[in-house]
Amino acid sequence: MRVTIGVDPHKHSRTAAVLNERGDLVDQQRFATTRGGYRDPRRWAKRWPERRWAVEGASGLGRTLAQQLASDGESVGDVPAKLAARVRLLSVGHGRKSDPHDAISVAVAAEGTRRLGQVRVEDHATMLRLLSDRRDDLVRARTQALNRLHVLLADLVPDGAGRNLDANAAAALLRRVRPQSAPARTRRQLAVDLLADVRALNRRIATTEDRLQVAVTRSATTLTELFGIGPILAAKLLGEVGDVRRFPTKHHFAAHTGTAPIEASSGEVVRHRLSRVGNRRLNHALYLAAIVQIRYPTTGQAYYRRKLAEGKSRKEALRCLKRRLSDAVYRQLLADQHRKMSRVPWNFGGGPRVIRRHPPWSV
């Protein structure tokens, strides 16, 4: 008997529900997230040799369990929380929410979805994503510290600090400040403390970027061959995409990056609207690469100007360029994956084509 085991994970417990092929509830158990919190559900599930797991939020609270199951060779599906919620609301019971009901909804969602994402064991892409997220956090903290420093300097210096403030400029301004009143001295001391924070964050960012550079080099990716994509953006793209083979076509990849327009046709009126869905981190990375290409004499800039000449606005032309970049990134990732699978030296004997810096990508 083939069964689907739906799991509703929480911080201190995991509730599992077993459904057979007809959708009948076979069994249900609740397990604590203790040291035995993984051994117990594995022993309990051995009674169904033909089984597959469906974990809600396999990249969030369910990551630990999903990774343990995948490492043991189990088939594990990642059920989005929104999908399980829709199933619960449309099911019998007036959308009652409880852990047992949620586990059943997760299993039903897995049974009714053909293209459910499969959980794979974390690899090099996970490390790149972690380092990229760490750098984003540090940059965000530095920006916050610089904003606070800018406010203090605006009160201490008559003409203010100006735009594009950095640690060296702030230090030069503080050396000229000679406060007389107690509040002014306090502001200067706080500014000195914030300046120390900014310099410490600069060192941490530099260290993280060095680690990113090494990790991207070890990945043997050729994304950096695309003009406008350096090690930092390459790390973000690799970390967020993971295994590119999960996208059958470039159109599926563009939908995931949010660069594919959404059809909003009605009757004989055919129109499309801007997509607000998809992975926004990937979308932002493609946006930055597009901005770089527009600023330099590249084929991307020529394509952008051609769209402007066709009557499109600047934003519309930029969106078109982002879509082309999405297709170029998809082709590059596929070429890298094929090279790794075939273990053929890069660009040897008719291997995958290298996209050189000029042109940055081919249309």
Side-chain angles (χ1 to χ4, degrees), residues 122-326:
E122 293 180 336
D123 53 7
H124 191 74
T126 303
M127 183 181 67
L128 289 171
R129 187 179 69 251
L130 292 173
L131 289 174
S132 180
D133 291 345
R134 173 59 175 167
R135 181 188 176 276
D136 290 344
D137 293 339
L138 291 173
V139 171
R140 194 177 299 112
R142 181 180 64 181
T143 302
Q144 186 180 39
L146 284 172
N147 289 339
R148 293 176 177 174
L149 182 57
H150 200 287
V151 172
L152 292 174
L153 288 174
D155 294 331
L156 293 171
V157 181
D159 55 349
R163 302 182 61 180
N164 301 323
L165 181 66
D166 58 12
N168 294 331
L173 290 174
L174 286 175
R175 283 194 293 269
R176 292 162 31 198
V177 174
R178 295 294 183 267
Q180 300 299 324
S181 64
R185 287 193 294 271
T186 301
R187 287 191 178 93
R188 188 182 187 282
Q189 184 58 50
L190 291 176
V192 171
D193 294 341
L194 284 172
L195 178 60
D197 294 340
V198 170
R199 285 175 168 167
L201 288 169
N202 284 337
R203 291 191 294 270
R204 293 181 182 179
I205 291 173
T207 302
T208 304
E209 289 179 350
D210 291 341
R211 296 171 64 184
L212 271 175
Q213 175 73 54
V214 173
V216 169
T217 302
R218 289 179 179 175
S219 68
T221 183
T222 57
L223 278 180
T224 52
E225 295 286 344
L226 298 176
F227 192 90
I229 298 181
I232 295 175
L233 286 186
K236 186 174 292 295
L237 291 169
L238 291 171
E240 294 294 333
V241 173
D243 190 352
V244 71
R245 293 173 296 178
R246 61 194 178 105
F247 303 104
T249 65
K250 64 180 181 181
H251 307 295
H252 290 83
F253 183 74
H256 182 69
T257 59
T259 56
I262 298 177
E263 185 175 1
S265 304
S266 178
E268 297 181 356
V269 179
V270 179
R271 59 190 178 91
H272 296 78
R273 64 178 177 85
L274 176 65
S275 174
R276 298 291 185 184
V277 297
N279 189 313
R280 306 317 296 175
R281 295 185 180 183
L282 288 176
N283 190 280
H284 183 64
L286 293 174
Y287 168 81
L288 295 177
I291 291 297
V292 173
Q293 290 209 357
I294 290 174
R295 292 178 178 177
Y296 294 91
T298 62
T299 55
Q301 184 190 77
Y303 177 82
Y304 175 77
R305 291 180 176 176
R306 188 164 69 248
K307 289 300 177 181
L308 291 178
E310 294 175 0
K312 294 186 180 296
S313 65
R314 293 182 180 274
K315 287 185 178 180
E316 291 172 341
L318 181 62
R319 292 165 190 161
C320 294
L321 178 57
K322 284 168 60 178
R323 172 57 193 269
R324 288 302 180 96
L325 282 173
S326 174

Side-chain angles (χ1 to χ4, degrees), residues 19-166:
L19 300 185
N20 59 20
E21 296 178 351
R22 297 187 302 272
D24 300 328
L25 180 62
V26 177
D27 196 2
Q28 201 167 40
Q29 290 289 336
R30 182 185 179 93
F31 303 96
T33 53
T34 58
R35 291 187 176 180
Y38 174 66
R39 295 191 300 268
D40 295 342
R42 287 282 286 124
R43 293 170 183 169
W44 169 71
K46 285 183 178 179
R47 68 182 76 175
W48 301 286
E50 298 183 17
R51 62 182 178 271
R52 68 166 181 165
W53 297 78
V55 180
E56 181 183 22
S59 58
L61 283 175
R63 178 188 290 113
T64 302
L65 176 63
Q67 286 298 317
Q68 289 171 333
L69 292 171
S71 299
D72 287 346
E74 297 282 342
S75 175
V76 187
D78 182 11
V79 178
K82 288 185 178 180
L83 180 59
R86 291 173 185 171
V87 172
R88 185 181 68 251
L89 291 174
L90 297 175
S91 62
V92 178
H94 307 286
R96 295 174 183 171
K97 180 171 175 56
S98 64
D99 290 349
H101 286 91
D102 288 347
I104 295 174
S105 299
V106 171
V108 173
E111 282 290 334
T113 305
R114 294 182 178 179
R115 298 188 55 81
L116 191 67
Q118 294 297 311
V119 177
R120 290 182 171 85
V121 181
E122 293 180 336
D123 53 7
H124 191 74
T126 303
M127 183 181 67
L128 289 171
R129 187 179 69 251
L130 292 173
L131 289 174
S132 180
D133 291 345
R134 173 59 175 167
R135 181 188 176 276
D136 290 344
D137 293 339
L138 291 173
V139 171
R140 194 177 299 112
R142 181 180 64 181
T143 302
Q144 186 180 39
L146 284 172
N147 289 339
R148 293 176 177 174
L149 182 57
H150 200 287
V151 172
L152 292 174
L153 288 174
D155 294 331
L156 293 171
V157 181
D159 55 349
R163 302 182 61 180
N164 301 323
L165 181 66
D166 58 12

Side-chain angles (χ1 to χ4, degrees), residues 219-227 229 234 237-238 241-242 244-245 250 253 286 324-340 346-347 352-357 359-362:
S219 68
T221 183
T222 57
L223 278 180
T224 52
E225 295 286 344
L226 298 176
F227 192 90
I229 298 181
L237 291 169
L238 291 171
V241 173
V244 71
R245 293 173 296 178
K250 64 180 181 181
F253 183 74
L286 293 174
R324 288 302 180 96
L325 282 173
S326 174
D327 295 345
V329 168
Y330 178 73
R331 291 196 301 268
Q332 205 79 350
L333 290 174
L334 272 185
D336 290 345
Q337 187 64 44
H338 292 161
R339 178 174 58 89
K340 291 178 182 179
W346 184 243
N347 202 28
R353 180 172 60 90
V354 178
I355 303 179
R356 298 299 180 188
R357 187 169 296 277
W361 44 268
S362 58

